[in-house]
């Protein structure tokens, strides 16, 4: 065995849970050499690197460098250490692997093929960067495909997902494992490049994993000191190992990550044996190793070129005319993974059989959850129509009541907040915090891993991205609910998007929406953010107007198994509208709130601004003799799913009455449903919650005064006059981009 | 003097640049005691804390805890250490102060009042949380107001802004200072709470400041171990000091931050004297100190209540019936800041007089920049219409050509990228990197502080937020240009928004827009993000279609002095349209691209998808006998500023021809300008750039086939048929949220 630079004691190795015979998926570190000769390992490494180079060359595109540099890491993981079953990629207690440096996807695809994942055929492997729509080898790993746990690519987030996967394992293990019956005890392995240590979300996730002492998590740092711009030290001078230790991680180092498989195995084995902390393995590698351009940014995101590939093949004693060639010896080297995986599954079946027998009730619940089903009836957590409040209350409170009931009664639900427990109303006295049992909290009470209330700290992005990992562990087993002020979901947006892309159900409770948030000022008052979430594919943004609509919003969100949701609620009191507001109306996206025969105008009310629609309708009648009907419109996406007949009934497109939306947000997108908008065209202002609306002209009198002439115009000239000329009725605060008379800027010609 | 726990050597103090006589704005640390008795200091501290408590009590709102806890820090800063002039808040070489824990704004407001900022009258001070529209004391500090450098509140970002302010000072100093004539050599001071160490953007900024060795930056950690959810250790177990050192900072500690002013002064003085690194001062404080509820989350965001305030007043020997009372002794304690500030300005005037005389040319340039003017004629950097390419080229290349010319010729421009130099085309051989001259880069060449090319690392959020600090240093002196893939401006969005809110000119070059990005897949293909930037107040989002439009986009962006911009360009080749595309058209937001008399339909083309509008128009004529005109529409915001007559001319609202927008994004918002949309309703897919468009039906044939029946319908039934029923013409990839038949979800009733 090559001399090992890894700092792992024999004790670490001695306390391995793993047997020499490989039954549990790996071997003792000291036996690595006995299994395979150094020569054979180096031969396989060479073949693997050439394969990667060829795969990028075929369509003259791709990221070869990191995949080549990580070859030895891959052998250590897939041949020696990871527990998985190629013939059953979904085996529930498998180790999870996350490629947070997702551009290196060929690394993962190639190993999946070599170890025998059935769907990852050679034809699939060579479809990387081809025009195959149904390729299992897209430009970044995607959750839909066998052997891929989460979709990665946006850097830093894969690491956060891995923290979520490790949390999930820890949490479900704590809930269901019994002595002798560990139904969930898998490891989570995550490879990262420099980016994951630079991106903020990576640092947020690292802090959380350290705090929670997730000893079932191992992060493997592909330390090649190269990023797109050159050497990583062009933008980073951290002492990474010290920083990781300061964040509560154990750190191991491997000096020669290019070829010293045995040392990497030792380190990985020590990580699995770590009883206290997550493990960070800092492995020195060479990007594009064995290429002429090795150790340069040139091999990061571009193919090596034919000449260079010939050079590599020659150096490895290979036939330069063979392309995409995988010798049988290489398959032989890896394919023992298939029977080993079946053995692992068999062993696991013994465990679950025993568990089913000895802990029948728990086993039934566990099985239900692993099937992705909710335990308990969530509809019981939603207040009946009769029990809704009649008095005004903040809609954040209404949303919180349901959230707390879900958290108390449905074991799948893990609920948390980015340090806004006093504001988001989702905590209850019965809650148990998700914490390491070894961590004592000054302000108490302490928590443990069975806890389902998560203090995310002030880390909105990690909250969303780690939640995606929780949701991805076993789809439906955990239903994560996050919360923060709506405005700060702009920090979380990259993670929220990745949840939508992956069809992962996470429910985001966004409180303090709209300018009604008040005195915290424009930094805390969302104006434009709703447009993002309303436009996001496969995302359900709902803005309910009162407690009854909140009931509908939760129903929709919990029912949308493949779609993340956001329920946007207000800090301030909102009026209740019994007899008008309707949970089933919410499920249709929009519905008639107050009907009026032969109405002159339809007012569209939304969320906390519903009061202006209702108030203005009343005033229009009393003061202007105008008949207004009111539509409540909490969700575009749900409305779009309704049949055209329903849409026409609600919005009366063909009537002679204009439709006016009233919402204290940017109006963009409402033009689809309305002819005019009473909206915001500037950022907000720091004013108390009762003063802010009127100062931006949100006031029944002012609104009515703008709508009355619109109605007159429609009567006089017909609706054709409105076609395509959406009317902005509240433009007082709009600012010209150039602060100069229109048209004075001219480009040089 | 109280025994000091601060770890600062007499050497640190000895190498102070400051004189005993206070002329340079402070005193030697050892003289603190001589200046004011310990008794008087403690009296002032008591009065200050009571003032904060009273200010929150008056409207029963606000954040008293941190402001009270930081009282001693404030005395150290404003009375002893910071260089500023209350009678001239805009003095150019003042020390910058950033309250990154912006909720503690009363801390800053109160000191600004006490030291004599003229506009911060007592009447203004007591307007905190009142209904005054023109209050200088909003819920978080705002850049518009005297004495406030940047708007803070969204946590972590203030720290990033402070890094930008320190960079700006370092950079401008390096460009203009001469021996004996240091025209810019100010410090930047930044207070933070736990949140700034948890939020990812804070960690990104910390890494950058350490890497760049910004020794003119001092971060003061208000270490009270309390956040909204309880004790900070509920979600954080980092060894903060070690982590900061690992990130390249020097760390000082103060044990008793509640009252040991002298030790705090010593630490601050040592920070200013630090020649090597940024300084992190970890100061132990007690949130809400002297209140009964001190050291609990209860004093974070809520007033103390009358009883508690009485208790505090009694304990301090004050009259419980006096409210908002500031004894004359307290004013006397602070107001020496006014004459001292005038002295500082006078000294500075001597420096600049000498500078103007000895370095006249440099002085002229310096003066111009300090007035916020560009040096040089930016229009010369924009290729003339005649010199535009006729062949297809990637619009990222066209945008890069202008960016490089600006960077090379306009000294105000600092250009950079979040580690995508090879992709964003903004670097040139002449570039000098912004780096510490003491940092050697493995891949070279090394840079120095005069450098204007910034390697941000993989840190999009910090890139945007630090750039806001660069822009805020002296408005217009630095014009920061950032760059990344458009998709990753979702990471940067919180910072981009804060730039718009603060009217700070930063230009964001977003490359790889749309699904045309290709094989990197849906994680890298923006679909919904443009809606956010189009809806953002005071933000200029421009999506040009070719090199000529890129010229217009840059012109608009550089001209918009009070508005940040984003120029969204494509990775792939885009066709050039000489004779059609027009830079001056871009400045109007939209314009007629290809006119057609009595057209049957108007096609709206945008950015990289312009080719489909042009191609479809041709095909409609040839194959369907339909006359189509084409409008180019790069910017909603610029179009909205045009007179109604112009808008009507371009969009022909009143014609009988439908208007169809063609863009591979979510269509939301286009409904204002179009009757139908050919757009995306799902995330993208990993396919090569030439294959992806047709797979999502972006193909002239397919588009024409959808538009032809629309035109027939318009002719047959008239445009009334379209009113309010926007037609989505490319719905094949839409997915139902519930994956179930419509209407099957019902809420429990």
């Amino acid at each position: 065995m090559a001399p090992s630079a890894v700092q792992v004691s024999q004790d670490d190795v001695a306390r391995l849970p793993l047997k020499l015979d490989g039954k549990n998926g790996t071997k003792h570190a000291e036996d690595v050499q006995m299994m395979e000769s150094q020569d054979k390992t180096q031969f396989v490494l060479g073949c693997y690197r050439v394969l990667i180079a060829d795969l990028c060359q075929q369509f003259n595109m791709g990221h070869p460098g990191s995949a080549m540099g990580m070859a030895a890491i891959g052998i250590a993981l897939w041949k020696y250490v990871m527990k998985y079953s190629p013939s059953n990629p979904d085996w529930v207690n498998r180790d999870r692997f996350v490629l947070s440096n997702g551009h290196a996807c060929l690394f993962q695809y190639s190993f999946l093929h070599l170890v025998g994942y059935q769907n990852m055929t050679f034809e699939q492997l060579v479809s990387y960067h081809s025009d195959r729509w149904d390729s299992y080898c897209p430009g970044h790993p995607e959750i839909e495909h066998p052997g891929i746990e989460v979709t990665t690519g946006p850097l830093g987030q894969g690491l956060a997902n891995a923290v979520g996967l490790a949390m999930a394992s820890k949490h479900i293990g704590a809930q269901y494992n019994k002595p002798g019956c560990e139904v969930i005890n898998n490891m989570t392995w995550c490879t990262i490049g420099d980016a994951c240590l630079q991106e903020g979300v990576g640092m947020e996730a690292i802090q959380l994993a350290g705090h929670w002492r997730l000893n079932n998590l191992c992060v493997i740092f592909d330390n090649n000191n190269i990023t797109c711009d050159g050497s990583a030290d062009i933008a980073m001078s951290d002492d990474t190992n010290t920083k990781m230790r300061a964040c509560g991680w154990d750190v191991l180092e491997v000096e020669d990550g290019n070829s010293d498989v045995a040392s990497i195995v030792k380190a990985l084995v020590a990580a699995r044996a770590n009883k206290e902390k997550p493990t960070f393995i800092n492995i020195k590698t060479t990007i594009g190793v064995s290429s002429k351009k090795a150790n340069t940014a040139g091999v990061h995101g571009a193919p090596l070129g034919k000449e260079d590939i010939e050079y590599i093949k020659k150096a490895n004693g290979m036939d330069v005319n063979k392309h995409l060639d995988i010798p049988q010896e290489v398959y032989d080297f890896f394919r023992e993974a298939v029977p080993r995986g079946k053995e692992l599954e068999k062993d696991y079946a013994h465990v679950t059989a025993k568990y089913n027998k000895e802990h029948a009730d728990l086993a039934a619940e566990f099985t239900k959850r692993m099937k992705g089903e909710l335990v308990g009836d969530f509809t019981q957590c939603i207040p009946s129509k009769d029990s809704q409040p009649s008095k005004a209350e903040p809609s954040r409170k209404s949303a919180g009541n349901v959230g707390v009931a879900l958290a108390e009664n449905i074991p799948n639900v893990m609920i948390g907040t980015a340090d806004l427990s006093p504001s988001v109303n989702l905590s209850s006295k019965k809650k148990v915090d998700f914490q390491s049992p070894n961590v004592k909290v000054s302000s108490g009470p302490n928590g443990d891993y069975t806890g389902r209330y998560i203090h995310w700290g002030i880390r909105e992005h990690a909250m969303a991205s780690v939640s995606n990992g929780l949701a991805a562990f076993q789809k439906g087993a955990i239903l994560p609910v996050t919360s923060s002020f709506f405005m700060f979901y702009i920090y979380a947006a990259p993670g929220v998007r990745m949840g939508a892309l992956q069809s992962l159900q996470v429910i985001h409770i966004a409180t303090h929406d709209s300018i009604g948030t008040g005195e915290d000022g424009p930094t805390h008052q969302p104006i434009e953010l709703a447009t993002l979430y309303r436009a996001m594919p496969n995302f359900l943004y709902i803005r309910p107007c009162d407690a009854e609509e909140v009931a509908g919003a939760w129903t929709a969100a919990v029912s949308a198994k493949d779609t993340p949701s956001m329920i946007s609620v207000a800090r301030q009191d909102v009026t209740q509208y019994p007899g008008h507001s309707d949970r089933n109306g919410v499920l249709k996206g929009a519905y008639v709130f107050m009907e009026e025969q032969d109405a002159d105008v339809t007012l569209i009310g939304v969320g906390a601004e519903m009061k202006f629609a209702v108030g203005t309708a009343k005033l229009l009648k009393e003061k202007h003799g105008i008949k207004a009907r009111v539509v409540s419109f909490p969700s575009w996406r749900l409305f779009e799913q309704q049949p055209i007949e329903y849409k026409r009934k609600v919005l009366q497109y063909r009537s002679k009455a204009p439709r006016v939306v009233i919402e204290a947000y940017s109006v963009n997108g409402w033009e689809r449903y309305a002819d005019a908008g009473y909206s915001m065209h500037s950022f907000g202002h720091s004013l108390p919650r009762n003063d802010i609306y009127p100062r931006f002209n949100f006031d029944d009198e002012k609104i009515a005064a703008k709508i009355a002439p619109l109605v007159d115009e429609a009567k006089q000239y017909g609706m054709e006059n409105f076609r395509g000329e959406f009317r902005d009725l509240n433009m007082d605060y709009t600012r010209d981009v150039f602060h100069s008379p229109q048209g004075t800027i001219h480009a040089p010609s």
Side-chain angles (χ1 to χ4, degrees), chain A residues 157-454:
Chain A
Q157 288 197 61
L159 172 48
N161 300 156
V163 171
L165 289 166
M167 272 178 89
S169 165
K170 210 71 173 160
H171 173 65
I172 294 176
Q175 283 184 315
Y176 295 104
N177 288 349
K178 289 287 168 190
C181 288
E182 299 215 339
V183 286
I184 294 293
N185 62 3
N186 69 294
M187 277 292 285
T188 298
W189 310 94
C190 175
T191 56
I192 64 167
D194 293 284
C196 295
L197 296 169
Q198 295 184 11
E199 290 285 8
V201 63
M203 288 309 303
E204 293 179 6
I206 284 167
Q207 292 176 2
L208 287 170
H211 173 68
W212 288 324
R213 304 201 181 175
L214 299 175
N215 68 322
N216 58 345
L217 174 64
C218 174
V219 165
I220 300 157
F221 176 29
D222 174 36
N223 185 1
N224 59 29
N225 193 32
I226 296 292
T227 68
C228 294
D229 272 20
S231 52
D233 57 16
I234 214 165
M236 180 91 158
S237 342
D238 290 10
D239 173 350
T240 297
N241 291 350
T242 303
K243 190 171 69 175
M244 293 303 297
R245 286 193 190 96
C247 292
W249 291 57
D250 277 332
V251 175
L252 301 173
E253 286 185 282
V254 178
E255 276 303 317
D256 172 15
N258 293 332
S259 56
D260 186 359
V261 175
S263 289
I264 300 171
V265 168
K266 271 198 179 183
L268 296 173
V269 156
R272 196 198 283 278
N274 194 329
K275 297 277 184 243
E276 303 290 337
K277 297 179 182 181
T279 304
F280 180 79
I281 310 183
N282 188 333
I283 305 187
K284 290 229 174 79
T285 63
T286 306
I287 193 168
V289 61
S290 71
S291 148
K292 282 181 183 172
K293 295 191 283 278
N295 203 26
T296 70
V299 293
H300 169 84
L304 304 180
K306 284 184 184 169
E307 196 194 338
D308 197 8
I309 293 181
E310 277 192 15
Y311 163 82
I312 303 171
K313 286 181 181 171
K314 277 182 191 158
N316 278 275
M318 294 174 191
D319 184 343
V320 296
N321 296 314
K322 279 194 180 170
H323 303 292
L324 298 167
D325 179 50
I326 305 174
Q328 187 56 42
E329 297 141 278
V330 174
Y331 283 118
D332 293 344
F333 186 84
F334 287 110
R335 286 280 163 99
E336 59 168 12
V338 177
R340 189 179 59 200
K342 285 183 181 157
E343 289 262 13
L344 285 165
E345 285 194 85
K346 211 190 286 173
D347 290 351
Y348 184 72
H350 290 311
V351 172
T352 49
K354 185 166 176 242
Y355 188 66
N356 290 341
K357 200 170 153 191
E358 295 178 8
H359 310 280
D361 288 354
L362 215 50
E365 190 178 297
F366 174 75
T367 305
K368 200 170 163 68
R369 287 185 64 183
M370 293 308 112
K371 280 190 206 154
E373 293 170 19
L374 288 185
V375 175
D377 177 6
F378 86 87
T379 64
Q380 298 298 313
C381 303
I382 295 178
S384 69
K385 201 156 188 164
D386 298 341
S387 68
Q388 294 290 14
S390 54
K391 275 199 210 160
E393 69 176 26
S395 46
R396 61 173 160 150
K397 188 179 164 199
S398 321
N401 290 342
V402 182
V404 166
L406 287 167
E408 288 181 352
N409 295 293
I410 310 291
N412 308 60
V413 173
M414 293 187 85
I415 208 160
T417 170
D419 195 52
L420 286 167
S421 290
S423 304
V424 294
N425 297 97
L426 289 168
S427 76
S428 79
K429 284 191 178 155
K430 289 189 199 165
K431 81 175 167 68
V432 175
D433 289 352
F434 179 86
Q435 296 282 4
S436 162
N438 299 324
V439 167
K440 301 300 165 208
V441 174
S442 328
S443 59
N446 296 310
D448 60 54
Y449 289 134
T450 68
R452 295 192 285 110
Y453 191 85
I454 307 172

Side-chain angles (χ1 to χ4, degrees), chain A residues 528-589:
Chain A
E528 72 284 25
L529 190 58
T531 62
L532 176 71
Y533 289 117
R534 283 171 172 155
M536 189 174 278
N538 193 37
F539 191 72
L540 189 49
Y541 175 84
I542 312 177
R543 194 169 177 225
C545 79
D546 70 355
E548 172 63 11
E549 285 202 352
V550 163
W554 271 108
T555 303
V558 178
S559 306
K561 290 280 193 185
D562 297 308
T563 301
S565 302
M566 185 175 289
I567 303 177
S568 175
V569 286
R571 173 194 189 195
Q572 71 274 20
D573 279 346
V574 297
T575 309
Q576 306 298 324
Y577 295 102
H580 299 286
S581 61
D582 175 19
R583 62 191 66 197
N584 281 304
V586 174
L587 298 182
K588 292 177 179 167

Side-chain angles (χ1 to χ4, degrees), chain A residues 458-677:
Chain A
I458 302 107
R459 304 180 183 98
E460 296 82 5
H461 190 169
M463 176 172 71
S465 299
V466 176
S467 291
N468 288 340
L470 286 172
F473 178 76
Q474 180 75 359
K475 220 176 145 180
I478 293 175
L479 173 53
V481 178
T482 80
S483 65
S484 181
F485 291 175
F486 180 38
M487 190 66 250
F488 299 117
Y489 277 97
I490 196 171
Y491 280 57
V496 174
R497 179 184 208 260
M498 287 300 293
L501 175 59
Q502 295 179 79
S503 301
L504 293 171
Q505 187 182 23
V506 178
I507 300 175
H508 306 285
I509 305 300
T511 68
H512 295 59
D513 71 1
S514 151
I515 58 173
T517 286
E519 61 268 9
D520 274 338
T523 56
H524 286 51
Q525 294 164 356
I527 300 294
E528 72 284 25
L529 190 58
T531 62
L532 176 71
Y533 289 117
R534 283 171 172 155
M536 189 174 278
N538 193 37
F539 191 72
L540 189 49
Y541 175 84
I542 312 177
R543 194 169 177 225
C545 79
D546 70 355
E548 172 63 11
E549 285 202 352
V550 163
W554 271 108
T555 303
V558 178
S559 306
K561 290 280 193 185
D562 297 308
T563 301
S565 302
M566 185 175 289
I567 303 177
S568 175
V569 286
R571 173 194 189 195
Q572 71 274 20
D573 279 346
V574 297
T575 309
Q576 306 298 324
Y577 295 102
H580 299 286
S581 61
D582 175 19
R583 62 191 66 197
N584 281 304
V586 174
L587 298 182
K588 292 177 179 167
Y591 62 102
V592 179
F593 202 71
M594 293 176 178
E595 194 49 287
E596 177 77 48
Q597 286 307 305
D598 302 318
D600 302 307
V601 64
T602 293
L603 303 182
I604 298 173
V606 199
E609 281 93 65
M610 176 55 85
K611 67 173 175 175
F612 299 112
V614 171
T616 300
K618 190 158 173 271
L619 204 67
L620 281 170
K621 189 161 216 171
E622 290 170 6
K623 195 166 163 186
H624 301 270
I626 289 173
K627 288 191 285 182
R629 60 198 285 277
V630 177
V631 163
S632 177
F633 209 141
S635 172
W636 294 359
R637 189 163 304 279
L638 293 173
F639 188 65
E640 282 303 308
Q641 293 180 3
Q642 302 313 310
I644 187 75
E645 297 72 25
Y646 179 78
K647 290 185 185 178
R648 287 181 176 165
K649 198 184 104 202
V650 172
L651 290 180
Q652 299 192 345
Y653 294 117
R654 305 301 163 84
S655 87
K656 300 287 180 198
R659 295 154 301 145
V660 184
V661 63
I662 302 169
E663 189 181 37
Y665 281 158
S666 296
V667 79
N668 309 69
W670 278 113
E671 299 97 334
R672 177 179 286 248
Y673 308 112
D675 305 292

Side-chain angles (χ1 to χ4, degrees), chain A residues 4-206:
Chain A
S4 165
V6 74
Q7 296 159 8
V8 45
S9 70
Q10 281 307 310
D11 277 0
D12 285 330
V13 178
R15 59 190 161 105
L16 294 184
L18 310 165
K19 306 288 181 212
L20 270 167
D21 60 9
K23 266 200 185 160
N24 285 311
T26 183
K27 332 259 166 171
H28 262 162
E30 53 265 49
D31 297 310
V32 171
Q33 194 193 19
M34 291 158 55
M35 289 167 44
E36 306 287 356
S37 72
Q38 179 73 341
D39 283 355
K40 185 185 267 189
T41 300
Q42 296 310 313
F43 171 76
V44 170
L45 281 171
C47 293
Y48 179 88
R49 290 181 197 127
V50 165
L51 174 65
I52 299 291
D54 276 346
L55 284 166
C56 290
Q57 198 59 37
Q58 52 171 350
F59 299 108
N60 202 30
M61 285 186 285
H63 288 78
S66 321
M68 292 171 73
M70 294 199 298
I73 296 172
I75 292 179
L77 281 168
W78 271 279
K79 184 173 168 69
Y80 294 115
V81 178
M82 275 205 293
K83 291 161 79 172
Y84 61 97
S85 179
S87 37
N88 181 11
D90 296 330
W91 170 46
V92 70
N93 197 32
R94 70 191 177 276
D95 281 359
R96 267 63 173 177
F97 173 79
V98 177
L99 186 85
S100 192
N101 47 345
H103 50 271
C105 55
L106 271 186
F107 169 74
Q108 190 168 6
Y109 302 152
S110 300
F111 280 111
L112 292 180
H113 171 67
L114 292 172
V115 300
Y117 277 71
Q118 289 175 328
N119 290 310
M120 190 58 94
T121 59
F122 182 77
E123 288 64 37
Q124 276 291 353
L125 186 61
V126 299
S127 73
Y128 174 68
H129 282 351
S130 76
D131 59 358
R132 266 187 81 161
W133 174 265
D134 63 347
S135 169
Y136 285 159
C137 299
H140 292 83
E142 296 180 0
I143 193 170
E144 290 83 357
H145 303 144
I148 307 295
E149 303 296 348
V150 283
T151 301
T152 56
L155 295 164
Q157 288 197 61
L159 172 48
N161 300 156
V163 171
L165 289 166
M167 272 178 89
S169 165
K170 210 71 173 160
H171 173 65
I172 294 176
Q175 283 184 315
Y176 295 104
N177 288 349
K178 289 287 168 190
C181 288
E182 299 215 339
V183 286
I184 294 293
N185 62 3
N186 69 294
M187 277 292 285
T188 298
W189 310 94
C190 175
T191 56
I192 64 167
D194 293 284
C196 295
L197 296 169
Q198 295 184 11
E199 290 285 8
V201 63
M203 288 309 303
E204 293 179 6
I206 284 167

